[in-house]
């Protein structure tokens, strides 16, 4: 709808956390934490948990700030209702394709691959071959804003249409917390 409550957006975040966003961002988090544990095998439980905290702090910070930036961009960039409708349909079709891929119902759909832009993927790969630190865990989490997740993209479109930095930031904050 035109005006979703932040509680509802939080619930969308919870649903996303158990579906396509989990598959996309969860894999990156597992790679970061696994690499950190390989590099630091003698850590206790709390120390092993720190990469998760930094990753999620980066994710929440980037969703909030970049969501606000997209909202601000929406105040100067006005999309017609037909363009918004076409973008919404495309995002919906992508979400359905990813969902069907996850279910494995139509194996031929696996030929369709939605990928991170190459320049970002190369940066992530290069960083994964170095020693992980607090800042790299934070930056990996921040990069999840750019990953192809239908829920995230749908909300990015929503905040673009709102045309407000504050609404964009709060919307994406509620989503990222979910």
């Amino acid at each position: 709808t035109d005006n979703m409550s932040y509680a509802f957006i939080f619930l969308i975040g919870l649903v996303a956390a158990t579906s396509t966003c989990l598959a996309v961002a969860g894999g990156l988090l597992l790679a970061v934490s696994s690499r950190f544990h390989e590099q630091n095998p003698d850590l206790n439980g709390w120390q092993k948990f720190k990469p998760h905290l930094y990753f999620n702090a980066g994710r929440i910070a980037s969703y909030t700030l970049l969501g606000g930036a997209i909202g601000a961009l929406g105040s100067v960039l006005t999309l017609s209702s037909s363009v918004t409708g076409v973008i919404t349909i495309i995002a919906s079709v992508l979400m359905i394709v990813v969902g069907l891929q996850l279910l494995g119902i139509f194996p031929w759909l696996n030929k369709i691959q939605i990928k991170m832009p190459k320049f970002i993927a190369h940066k992530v790969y290069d960083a994964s071959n170095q020693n992980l630190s607090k800042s790299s865990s934070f930056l990996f989490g921040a990069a999840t804003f750019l990953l192809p997740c239908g829920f995230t993209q749908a909300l990015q479109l929503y905040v673009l249409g709102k045309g407000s930095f504050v609404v964009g930031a709060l919307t994406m904050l509620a989503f990222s917390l979910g």
Side-chain angles (χ1 to χ4, degrees):
T1 66
D2 277 343
N3 293 310
M4 294 188 286
S5 72
Y6 296 121
F8 182 70
I9 292 168
F10 177 81
L11 289 176
I12 292 172
L14 289 175
V15 170
T18 61
S19 62
T20 58
C21 291
L22 173 65
V24 175
L28 185 57
L29 175 58
L30 286 174
V32 167
S33 61
S34 175
R35 180 79 173 165
F36 184 78
H37 295 158
E38 285 175 12
Q39 294 171 352
N40 305 289
D42 299 328
L43 299 178
N44 66 30
W46 172 249
Q47 292 168 326
K48 287 181 180 181
F49 189 66
K50 284 186 178 182
H52 295 268
L53 294 176
Y54 293 119
F55 182 91
N56 282 301
R59 190 180 54 76
I60 291 167
S62 73
Y63 274 60
T64 303
L65 294 174
L66 295 175
I70 289 174
L73 177 64
S75 69
V76 295
L77 175 72
T78 305
L79 299 177
S80 69
S81 59
S82 55
V83 170
T84 302
V86 168
I87 292 172
T88 303
I89 290 170
I90 291 170
S92 299
V93 167
L94 290 174
M95 287 176 62
I96 291 169
V97 167
V98 170
L100 291 172
Q101 285 175 333
L102 288 171
L103 292 173
I105 296 173
F106 303 109
W108 56 268
L109 279 177
N110 291 332
K111 293 177 183 174
I112 301 170
Q113 295 292 321
I114 303 169
K115 297 180 181 178
M116 184 185 308
K118 280 190 176 185
F119 73 95
I120 297 172
H122 289 292
K123 294 283 186 192
V124 169
Y125 179 76
D126 292 342
S128 69
N129 289 327
Q130 300 171 359
N131 284 339
L132 289 176
S133 64
K134 296 173 188 174
S135 61
S136 58
S137 292
F138 183 89
L139 292 174
F140 278 116
T144 61
F145 187 82
L146 305 171
L147 294 176
C149 172
F151 288 100
T152 305
Q153 291 168 340
L155 283 172
Q156 289 167 346
L157 178 62
Y158 172 76
V159 299
L160 181 67
K162 292 314 242 174
S164 164
F165 179 88
V166 173
V167 171
L170 291 175
T171 298
M172 296 310 288
L173 172 63
F175 176 71
S176 67
L177 290 174

